[in-house]
Amino acid sequence: MCLNFVSLFPSNSDIFMPSITIMAKLNLKINGEVKEVDVDPSTPVLWVLRDHLNLVGTKYGCGIAQCGACTVHLDGTATRSCMLTVSMVGNSEITTIEGLSENGDHPVQKAWLDVDVPQCGYCQAGQIMTAAALLDKNPNPSDEEIEMAMNGNICRCGTYLRIKKAVKIASENS
Amino acid sequence: MDQIDKHIGRRAFIRNTGLAGGGLIIGFSWLNSCKPKNISTEQALEMPKEWFEINAYIKIGDNGVATIFCPNPEFGQGVMTAMPMIVAEELDISWKDVLVKQAPFNTELYERQFTGGSQGIRRSWEGLRMAGATAKQMLKQAAAEAWQVPVSGITVSDGVLSHEATGKTAGFGEMAAAASNMEVPENVETKAVKDFKIVSHSKKNVEGKQIVTGEPMFGLDYQYEGTLIAMVEHPPAFGLKLKSFDDSEVRNMPGIVDVFQINTYDDNFVRNFFDTNAFPDLVAIVGKTTWEVMNAKKKLKAEWEPITEKKLTFDRFGSISEVTVPSGLESTKKHDELMEKMASQPGEIARKDGDPESAFKNAAKVLERSYSCPFLAHNCMEPMNFFAHVTEEGIKLAGPSQAPSIIESTLASRLDVPAEKIEIEMTRMGGGFGRRAYGHYAIEAALISKQAKAPIKLVYSREDDMTFGIYRPSYQATYRAALDENNNLIAFHVKSGGVPESPLFANRFPAGAVDNYLAEQWVINSNITIGAFRAPRSNFTAGVEQAFLDEVAEAAGKDPIDFRLELLKRVKENPVGEENDYDPDRIAGVLKLVKEKSNWAQTPPGVHRGVSAYFCHNSYAAHVVDVVMDGDQPRVEKVTCAIDCGIVINPDAASLMAEGAIVDGIGNAMYGNMSFTDGKPDHSNFDTYKMIRQNEAPKEIEVHFVQNEIDPTGLGEPPFPPVFGALANALYKATGRRFTKQPFSTDKPPLVG
Ligand code: FES
Ligand code: FES
């Protein structure tokens, strides 16, 4: 991959719903439990998790699907929760970092500790969720595939080399 | 063994009897408020029934488990692990029996609870060792009294006290209660470096498990009952201020509780060093949830008006200075023109050795090159935020800050409350890089809480964060060098300046190595606020100076490493001037190490290499960057790095820090750019502000440390600045073109035809 100036993730997205201000009771499947929330349906899942359900492991970094800090799994697929409105979730299962494993022992989490990836740590929940979804679909990714999958997750502290190393270890161990 | 006089960090060892009842700690509000966590090992340690406070850094439980408090705030530099390692080393406890906690902010108990300047470890080294060593001495004293033997006969290893002659042994837990009542010893011995068992032996991040499981740790995660969310609206451009606002549409929006104006400080307020703030007048919106407040903020209608020129007073740790803030709406295009103009005029002379004018006139060869860089935004991944709860009784704050003491002092004077009434909890920071030394957002949070009469958490959106200022300044530098007919460097001239700060270090290498030397500087005033950004000034100067030296070496027909080593030899043997602020041996040391480790003599085919070496923040770093071409696109394949920061506390974490600094350096050199049009920042989020990503990071980074027993110095900043130079030099080899304008990704040759 090259030192390329073009961002891979254009911000203009048409998935935003028009702003509606009616509240609605919704049932969300989160980390294996059904949670009832009473929110404006245009609220992004990120803020429902953080402000309504007290699940703050999912982070806010940009709000426009550019940094990956807010990554959760939607039916197993890595998804930016900052631009996923609750109304779009329907029956899909949401998994957050808190629900990735029972005791923090998912192979990706273990590899992360093994390699001692984090610096400040703020981006890491998003990195881990992206990595876990990647390995789920592609248990033995090549270097290029890891780079492609992880490219949407910014780490301001620059832990990219350890992230890649940890993904490889997790792939070997899972 | 080293004798350390006890005056170092003495305050920390005087037991705070207000906190401890008969040695037993009860009712620490900051301890009770959080459930036991911060566990340093995979397995949870068994908690003791009672804790005994030995000093402000150490509590020992009746089962021998110790809690060690990290005095400094953590933003990814690893102090939460490294500082307790130093204490544990001198305490002589097994690392697996250690729990680590963030200490409370308390200027009575701890000194310099500040993160910045790469000074944490350097300035605390002796104090932390003393904390451990005095505690160990008190435990030994307790054992000596219990066993009725002389204290000199007691040895300690891995948390066990032994007396060989009588065969008695006891764990720390058994002696903790008695030790906590011992006199604090006057003089204690610290260990010899060769006896270290924890320091210099890699330990994992003590908060790793919490990070990978998504536990609440950051300011943005802070929870407190009844907390409302607040956001602020600041002017869209530097040079503007709030004129009026219309909140009629906002007030009735769902979840909105209040909308009002705050004034962080007025123009007459005497500001602390880190109270930089372009936008003191703000509209605050308070509501129930973040999303509701974000939506309301979009609907706020505000009118802005131009600022007039003003003078602000800063109290920079006791020295009062006045800063002129000009009016007007500034643009990058205009800045560039002004910088070019300043560069063409004589600057203020900061250092002059010999007779540079004549030397340049009589030179066989003269080289000249100009360099520039844009403003940069810090872009910490966790946007600025702070919790505040202001009541009649006192002020409770919590959040990410590199400099809580400044927040305390500014807030005390702004709200006219005694500092004792302000409690600040330091949360883990999602990055800092200098940005979080500027605590305006904590003051804003307190003012909002006061007015709203509620606990609030102030949250900046990414856009608020990126457009508030406190940027790395834009700099320019012109270098000239004169060679004689034998290709000796006979004169060196640097003239540099910036908006609104000069990056010059007049006494750094190659000052001292050249008989005829001239350093000049200039500044252009601006109303765009700037602040410390990972290795301030060095983050430009190192790169351009090291790029220029590369060019001079080439003109002199010399290998770039040999060329630098020759100059450093000159400094060592016969320095010019007395003010040179670096140790030539230690720069030479990292250069030699990087030369060896990169196998400099044998560049692999297809690889283009650049080298650099630099001293800043008391440490030394050298890099060799390997660039390969992917078609016409350069790519960084590998970076080899050599560092001399004295004793390395936690080697694997130190490597991680250097790896991060290298990736950050490549990212900012290639892409980092904040520009302005009519005072307005051109970028406000990561869609157009390009950050380095996974596929642009080097494939491999090797970090090597010079092995010595010199007292440790810092690492957060030193490996960062020289990256820019080594990369520029490698890009030159790869493309045949000198990259002089950052960011390099847009530094293209002018189109012809
Ligand atoms: S917060 Fe969702 S991608 Fe940045
Ligand atoms: S570890 Fe700090 S942003 Fe990734």
Side-chain angles (χ1 to χ4, degrees):
Chain A
M1 288 286 131
C2 302
L3 297 162
N4 191 344
F5 191 62
V6 184
S7 173
L8 287 168
F9 297 87
S11 68
N12 52 341
S13 167
D14 53 4
I15 62 167
F16 250 136
M17 303 268 298
S19 175
I20 317 161
T21 51
I22 28 157
M23 306 294 266
K25 281 207 164 80
L26 292 162
N27 284 325
L28 294 174
K29 287 190 205 155
I30 297 180
N31 298 334
E33 285 174 45
V34 176
K35 304 265 185 190
E36 191 188 82
V37 290
D38 190 6
V39 292
D40 173 347
S42 72
T43 310
V45 168
L46 169 67
W47 298 114
V48 175
L49 293 170
R50 293 189 57 85
D51 285 356
H52 298 263
L53 297 172
N54 210 2
L55 291 167
V56 294
T58 306
K59 298 297 189 234
Y60 165 69
C62 68
I64 56 165
Q66 290 291 303
C67 77
C70 64
T71 306
V72 298
H73 294 173
L74 189 68
D75 289 335
T77 301
T79 305
R80 307 290 182 246
S81 67
C82 67
M83 289 190 81
L84 174 75
T85 63
V86 268
S87 63
M88 294 162 74
V89 174
N91 266 330
S92 297
E93 297 260 3
I94 296 170
T95 309
T96 70
I97 186 76
E98 291 92 343
L100 184 62
S101 64
E102 190 71 8
N103 302 303
D105 52 3
H106 185 282
V108 171
Q109 288 168 313
K110 287 215 304 232
W112 242 248
L113 291 175
D114 236 28
V115 180
D116 224 358
V117 174
Q119 280 193 27
C120 81
Y122 192 80
C123 74
Q124 300 294 346
Q127 306 274 5
I128 289 169
M129 294 308 282
T130 305
L134 163 70
L135 293 180
D136 209 36
K137 298 206 159 46
N138 179 1
N140 292 300
S142 66
D143 275 25
E144 293 239 325
E145 286 167 335
I146 297 175
E147 284 174 12
M148 281 307 287
M150 302 305 299
N151 234 27
N153 289 73
I154 296 174
C155 175
R156 173 68 182 86
C157 298
T159 64
Y160 295 127
L161 281 87
R162 294 209 181 191
I163 288 170
K164 203 198 268 179
K165 191 171 163 194
V167 174
K168 286 190 200 167
I169 290 179
S171 139
E172 282 157 23
N173 293 347
S174 54
Chain B
M1 296 227 179
D2 305 321
Q3 280 273 339
I4 299 181
D5 195 73
K6 199 164 136 295
H7 71 269
I8 303 156
R10 174 157 178 82
R11 273 183 295 169
F13 315 124
I14 301 169
R15 217 171 295 103
N16 187 337
T17 47
L19 294 179
L24 171 66
I25 300 199
I26 34 167
F28 272 37
S29 61
W30 43 271
L31 280 178
N32 293 343
S33 64
C34 53
K35 59 181 195 276
K37 49 185 181 186
N38 301 358
I39 291 167
S40 61
T41 54
E42 268 274 8
Q43 283 163 329
L45 280 172
E46 199 173 309
M47 286 297 115
K49 288 190 200 68
E50 279 184 24
W51 285 108
F52 301 95
E53 186 193 43
I54 312 295
N55 58 41
Y57 293 90
I58 303 167
K59 283 191 310 171
I60 295 181
D62 55 12
N63 64 350
V65 166
T67 297
I68 301 183
F69 294 93
C70 173
N72 285 24
E74 171 71 62
F75 68 174
Q77 80 280 42
V79 279
M80 277 288 279
T81 309
M83 286 186 162
M85 282 172 72
I86 299 169
V87 177
E89 179 68 64
E90 294 292 347
L91 180 62
D92 248 329
I93 190 168
S94 166
W95 184 247
K96 68 172 174 31
D97 294 328
V98 173
L99 294 176
V100 169
K101 279 183 192 290
Q102 178 74 69
F105 171 68
N106 186 330
T107 50
E108 293 290 311
L109 289 178
Y110 307 99
E111 292 175 56
R112 203 182 176 280
Q113 292 184 290
F114 175 77
T115 285
S118 299
Q119 296 300 303
I121 293 291
R122 174 173 175 256
R123 299 274 295 273
S124 308
W125 170 241
E126 294 201 336
L128 293 168
R129 294 180 83 186
M130 285 300 291
T134 50
K136 178 168 79 177
Q137 188 62 27
M138 287 153 78
L139 287 155
K140 281 163 88 171
Q141 196 70 46
E145 284 181 22
W147 299 334
Q148 293 295 303
V149 297
V151 70
S152 57
I154 293 177
T155 56
V156 180
S157 178
D158 285 345
V160 178
L161 298 140
S162 318
H163 187 252
E164 212 189 300
T166 57
K168 287 197 189 315
T169 65
F172 278 180
E174 295 167 63
M175 294 297 164
S180 68
N181 288 314
M182 287 288 152
E183 269 301 298
V184 180
E186 277 299 319
N187 284 300
V188 291
E189 284 178 339
T190 52
K191 285 179 160 180
V193 173
K194 68 170 175 40
D195 295 330
F196 285 167
K197 290 200 274 189
I198 296 172
V199 166
S200 300
H201 296 76
S202 295
K203 300 286 173 249
K204 297 260 196 257
N205 184 339
V206 294
E207 294 192 313
K209 186 78 186 268
Q210 288 165 271
I211 292 169
V212 305
T213 53
E215 280 203 39
M217 321 168 72
F218 298 94
L220 218 48
D221 306 340
Y222 195 80
Q223 319 253 318
Y224 188 93
E225 209 181 323
T227 297
L228 298 173
I229 299 294
M231 298 188 84
V232 287
E233 180 79 1
H234 69 247
F238 292 88
L240 293 181
K241 64 174 185 190
L242 181 67
K243 186 179 176 206
S244 63
F245 66 97
D246 171 3
D247 61 11
S248 50
E249 261 191 78
V250 177
R251 287 201 162 268
N252 298 326
M253 285 179 74
I256 298 309
V257 174
D258 209 348
V259 185
F260 50 82
Q261 187 177 340
I262 58 163
N263 170 254
T264 312
Y265 8 72
D266 66 28
D267 291 351
N268 301 321
F269 184 78
V270 178
R271 297 168 187 222
N272 273 313
F273 184 67
F274 289 113
D275 287 338
T276 307
N277 184 351
F279 305 126
D281 289 307
L282 303 162
V283 183
I285 304 166
V286 182
K288 295 210 176 98
T289 66
T290 316
W291 182 244
E292 287 167 325
V293 178
M294 278 180 167
N295 280 333
K297 188 165 170 316
K298 288 187 198 124
K299 291 276 153 69
L300 183 80
K301 291 196 188 85
E303 271 195 77
W304 316 99
E305 61 185 348
I307 59 165
T308 48
E309 181 177 299
K310 55 187 172 186
K311 286 195 182 349
L312 301 176
T313 309
F314 279 84
D315 180 346
R316 297 174 197 268
F317 303 112
S319 86
I320 302 292
S321 63
E322 230 177 41
V323 173
T324 302
V325 179
S327 61
L329 301 175
E330 302 173 22
S331 294
T332 297
K333 199 163 162 282
K334 192 76 206 270
H335 285 159
D336 290 348
E337 285 165 19
L338 278 173
M339 290 205 288
E340 220 164 278
K341 183 162 160 251
M342 293 302 281
S344 69
Q345 299 168 359
E348 169 209 308
I349 295 177
R351 173 164 167 169
K352 185 174 175 178
D353 299 326
D355 182 359
E357 289 83 359
S358 312
F360 274 105
K361 214 178 285 161
N362 301 327
K365 239 185 252 174
V366 172
L367 284 89
E368 179 174 330
R369 187 70 78 177
S370 291
Y371 303 87
S372 67
C373 70
F375 286 81
L376 293 177
H378 292 79
N379 294 340
C380 307
M381 283 310 289
E382 179 194 20
M384 299 305 119
N385 66 87
F386 232 78
F387 166 85
H389 189 24
V390 178
T391 61
E392 287 298 314
E393 289 74 55
I395 299 174
K396 157 98 186 150
L397 297 172
S401 167
Q402 291 178 235
S405 61
I406 305 281
I407 292 173
E408 182 188 73
S409 149
T410 299
L411 194 58
S413 97
R414 174 64 180 80
L415 287 184
D416 201 17
V417 292
E420 306 83 74
K421 286 203 159 188
I422 302 173
E423 183 197 335
I424 304 176
E425 189 179 330
M426 300 182 289
T427 59
R428 190 178 180 91
M429 291 175 259
F433 310 99
R435 178 62 180 84
R436 285 192 230 270
Y438 302 83
H440 58 86
Y441 51 97
I443 312 300
E444 292 157 16
L447 294 170
I448 296 168
S449 168
K450 189 175 182 212
Q451 173 118 6
K453 296 193 173 50
I456 64 102
K457 185 159 64 180
L458 171 65
V459 177
Y460 274 36
S461 68
R462 173 58 58 197
E463 290 79 6
D464 297 337
D465 184 288
M466 207 181 282
T467 57
F468 199 95
I470 330 263
Y471 304 116
R472 193 284 298 270
S474 177
Y475 297 122
Q476 194 279 347
T478 301
Y479 284 84
R480 292 198 303 147
L483 298 173
D484 67 13
E485 55 285 349
N486 298 320
N487 284 324
N488 294 310
L489 178 61
I490 53 167
F492 195 87
H493 176 200
V494 50
K495 181 164 32 163
S496 57
V499 190
E501 171 195 81
S502 157
L504 184 72
F505 289 98
N507 297 319
R508 291 226 174 127
F509 186 73
V514 198
D515 288 311
N516 305 293
Y517 173 87
L518 178 64
E520 297 176 83
Q521 60 184 341
W522 46 265
V523 291
I524 295 166
N525 247 349
S526 172
N527 55 35
I528 298 173
T529 50
I530 57 138
F533 182 110
R534 197 173 208 169
R537 301 187 291 147
S538 289
N539 59 37
F540 174 67
T541 296
V544 299
E545 159 210 298
Q546 291 295 311
F548 187 63
L549 284 176
D550 202 68
E551 211 170 324
V552 179
E554 187 186 41
K558 291 174 186 169
D559 171 82
I561 294 185
D562 294 345
F563 175 70
R564 287 171 173 82
L565 290 174
E566 271 172 37
L567 292 175
L568 289 161
K569 189 159 168 259
R570 159 78 205 269
V571 184
K572 181 162 161 76
E573 288 167 359
N574 181 22
V576 182
E578 280 160 17
E579 307 278 298
N580 307 319
D581 67 0
Y582 58 93
D583 178 343
D585 274 346
R586 293 180 82 183
I587 301 187
V590 289
L591 269 170
K592 286 176 190 158
L593 185 61
V594 87
K595 183 178 178 175
E596 177 206 322
K597 297 294 183 187
S598 67
N599 205 1
W600 178 254
Q602 266 129 33
T603 305
V607 169
H608 311 279
R609 307 188 121 172
V611 68
S612 69
Y614 192 69
F615 157 79
C616 68
H617 301 272
N618 314 95
S619 294
Y620 298 78
H623 302 304
V624 167
V625 168
D626 291 0
V627 162
V628 297
M629 293 302 285
D630 243 356
D632 63 348
Q633 290 287 331
R635 160 162 75 74
V636 180
E637 183 73 12
K638 180 176 176 181
V639 180
T640 312
C641 157
I643 293 172
D644 179 356
C645 58
I647 296 163
V648 184
I649 308 301
N650 192 7
D652 186 54
S655 288
L656 175 59
M657 191 86 249
E659 288 164 30
I662 288 164
V663 171
D664 190 13
I666 293 170
N668 277 303
M670 288 299 300
Y671 316 112
N673 184 12
M674 178 53 96
S675 55
F676 302 88
T677 307
D678 297 330
K680 191 171 184 301
D682 291 336
H683 308 282
S684 63
N685 207 326
F686 300 132
D687 50 348
T688 65
Y689 195 109
K690 168 86 175 104
M691 308 283 284
I692 190 168
R693 289 178 184 267
Q694 175 67 252
N695 70 335
E696 293 139 350
K699 300 284 169 255
E700 193 185 346
I701 296 176
E702 256 182 41
V703 183
H704 302 275
F705 293 96
V706 173
Q707 300 296 326
N708 60 37
E709 294 194 0
I710 299 171
D711 281 355
T713 48
L715 203 57
E717 288 161 304
F720 178 66
V723 177
F724 295 70
L727 177 61
N729 297 340
L731 288 174
Y732 167 68
K733 290 280 190 200
T735 64
R737 214 165 58 74
R738 295 277 174 195
F739 285 72
T740 59
K741 247 173 114 56
Q742 294 168 25
F744 297 152
S745 65
T746 53
D747 182 9
K748 297 269 155 64
L751 289 175
V752 193

